[in-house]
Amino acid sequence: MVFWEGYVSDEAMGTFAPIIVYWLYAGFYQLLPPLDNYRLHTRKEEDEKNSVPLASVVKGVLLQQLVQATVAHLLFVLTSKTGSSGTVIQPSIAVQIVQIIIGMLVMDTWQYFVHRYMHQNKFLYRHVHSQHHKLVVPYAIGALYNHPLEGLLLDTVGGAISFLVSGMTARTAVIFFCFAVIKTVDDHCGLWLPGNIFHLLFQNNTAYHDIHHQLQGLKYNYSQPFFPIWDKLLGTHMPYKLVRRPQGGFEARLTKD
C-alpha cells in the first residue's frame, strides 16, 4: 500500500514524482538563508566562477526532465507487468530493497564509465560535458544542468538500464528514482550542514563531488551518485579534508592517499 494508490498510477508517479521531488528539494536549498558558515565556497566565488545565469540553468534542467519523463513513460508502457486481474503483484519489501541496491550499483557503474569517458574524450568534453562544469561552484538547482546529449546518455539511459537490470516494478522505481534525485541534488548543494544523513552514510557526498568540480580535481572522483567504488578500484579516487575558512564556511582540500 502506498499513499498514491487509487489516485495515481505507479507509472505516472514514476514519470513525474522525480521531477516534482527535484524542484521541491532543490527549491528548499535555494530558499535557505546564505548559511555562510556551512558553505564549501563563498557567495563571491559562486558569482565570479560560474559562467551561466540561473535562468539558463533552470531552462537546461527542464529540458532534460522533459526527455526523462518521455523516456520513463515509454519504458513503463513497454515493461508493464499488469496481470489478468488488472493489478501488479508487488514483490516483498526484502526483494524491493535488493532491487534498489542492484539499481544503485548498476547506475553507479554506468555513470562512472560514461562520465569518465566524457572527460577523457576531448571532443565530448569540449562540446558536451563542459556545459555541466560551467558551474564550477555547484548549487542544488544545477544538479541536472547538462548538455541534452549528456542528460540522455548519462542520466536517462543510466536510469533506464538500472530499472531493467534490477527487475523492479514501477512502484519500486518511484522510490528508487526519487531517492537518486534527492542524492544528486544534495551532492551539488554546496553546503556541509551538520547532521546531513547523506554525509554520514555516503563517502560519495557533497564535498566528494565538489572536488571533481575543482580545476585540480577534474580527473578524479568521477563516481556518482552513490558510492566511490569505481574511483577506488581504478585509481581515480581523490581523498579530501574539510578545513574551516577564517572568514567562515569550509573548504574541501585535495589530499593524497
Side-chain angles (χ1 to χ4, degrees), residues 43-62:
R43 285 176 288 172
K44 182 179 179 181
E45 285 180 305
E46 183 175 318
D47 294 336
E48 291 179 348
K49 293 183 177 181
N50 290 348
S51 58
V52 58
L54 178 61
S56 296
V57 171
V58 171
K59 291 177 183 177
V61 173
L62 288 172

Side-chain angles (χ1 to χ4, degrees), residues 72-118:
H73 175 70
L74 292 173
L75 189 66
F76 289 137
V77 168
L78 293 174
T79 60
S80 176
K81 299 177 181 178
T82 303
S84 57
S85 63
T87 60
V88 177
I89 298 176
Q90 302 296 332
S92 67
I93 297 297
V95 170
Q96 291 182 67
I97 291 173
V98 170
Q99 290 174 332
I100 288 173
I101 293 172
I102 292 172
M104 294 166 74
L105 294 173
V106 171
M107 181 175 284
D108 273 358
T109 301
W110 176 266
Q111 293 209 2
Y112 175 85
F113 287 101
V114 174
H115 184 196
R116 181 173 177 174
Y117 184 68
M118 285 188 173

Side-chain angles (χ1 to χ4, degrees), residues 41 49 136 210-221 238 251-255:
H41 296 272
K49 293 183 177 181
V136 178
D210 181 75
I211 292 295
H212 177 71
H213 275 260
Q214 296 181 27
L215 182 60
Q216 63 269 42
L218 281 176
K219 295 182 179 180
Y220 300 95
N221 293 9
M238 177 60 71
E251 178 184 352
R253 293 182 181 176
L254 284 67
T255 62

Side-chain angles (χ1 to χ4, degrees), residues 25-37:
Y25 196 53
F28 162 76
Y29 273 117
Q30 191 71 16
L31 294 174
L32 286 175
L35 297 175
D36 290 331
N37 286 333

